[in-house]
Amino acid sequence: SSQPAMALNAATLLNLEILENITNGSTKGTLFEFVNHAATQGGARMLKHWLARPLKIAEAINDRLNAVEFLKTADEASGGDLLRSLQRMVKGIPDIERALAKIHTAATIQDRAVMFDNTNAKKVMQFLRVLTGLRQAFKFVEELRAVVPSIGGDAKTSAEISRRLQFLLVPGGGIPI
């Protein structure tokens, strides 16, 4: 199969206690509880998705491991300041995925146009929060580029950076700037 990840069914997730424990359905004692160091709800959701759909292609697995190793090495070189700084930055970004879901739920599709029932200040504020969150996310990427010194550095150092990080951080890659 060409799918990069496998989908684990509910029985497997429960029996292996990946997201919930068998005893009471909480996260206590689960793999998720053990590895979750996410600074945001969005990060925790992404981690849950990754745990429920683990990568199965060696290249993708190694690329993710390389990204983690690069960040860990860079953090050690900074005396632990890099990850603390990144965590502070990401905590300031609102939950864009959740806000977009709320906006989408409030919308109804009519003749290919999106119409809002009862457009009011609350919905407008949700939309403005999304825009603010996107601005903060772009600012985060710019700041990340500044604190990860290897981006745009010499060819040898840049070659050591995971493709995932390059895709995110190199202008014109994952985020158009």
Side-chain angles (χ1 to χ4, degrees):
S1 168
S2 64
Q3 295 296 322
M6 67 176 92
L8 302 178
N9 64 34
T12 301
L13 290 170
L14 186 59
N15 288 330
L16 295 177
E17 294 188 326
I18 293 176
L19 303 175
E20 299 175 347
N21 69 41
I22 294 174
T23 310
N24 62 10
S26 75
T27 59
K28 188 79 172 147
T30 63
L31 177 61
F32 175 72
E33 181 191 42
F34 181 73
V35 299
N36 182 24
H37 298 284
T40 65
Q41 291 177 341
R45 270 196 312 278
M46 181 178 285
L47 179 59
K48 284 180 180 180
H49 178 77
W50 286 353
L51 292 174
R53 296 183 48 80
L55 295 173
K56 64 180 183 180
I57 297 174
E59 185 178 16
I61 294 167
N62 287 326
D63 199 34
R64 187 176 288 168
L65 289 172
N66 290 341
V68 170
E69 181 180 3
F70 175 82
L71 288 173
K72 185 176 179 189
T73 302
D75 185 55
E76 289 169 358
S78 74
D81 291 338
L82 175 65
L83 292 181
R84 276 192 299 273
S85 175
L86 294 176
Q87 200 170 46
R88 264 192 314 275
M89 285 186 255
V90 78
K91 281 183 179 179
I93 299 172
D95 194 338
I96 297 169
E97 181 182 14
R98 180 73 36 97
L100 284 173
K102 285 181 181 179
I103 290 170
H104 177 54
T105 300
T108 54
I109 306 296
Q110 250 180 19
D111 296 328
R112 296 186 186 163
V114 177
M115 306 293 287
F116 287 91
D117 296 337
N118 251 346
T119 302
N120 58 28
K122 183 177 178 186
K123 291 177 184 156
V124 171
M125 292 306 296
Q126 286 176 337
F127 184 70
L128 290 174
R129 277 194 294 275
V130 168
L131 292 178
T132 300
L134 290 172
R135 280 191 206 101
Q136 289 174 322
F138 281 119
K139 183 179 177 198
F140 168 75
V141 171
E142 286 300 317
E143 290 178 16
L144 184 58
R145 287 182 182 138
V147 296
V148 178
S150 303
I151 299 299
D154 63 45
K156 178 182 180 273
T157 308
S158 291
E160 295 170 358
I161 300 171
S162 142
R163 282 190 317 261
R164 287 177 185 268
L165 288 175
Q166 284 183 359
F167 182 73
L168 176 63
L169 298 176
V170 174
I175 298 186
I177 300 288

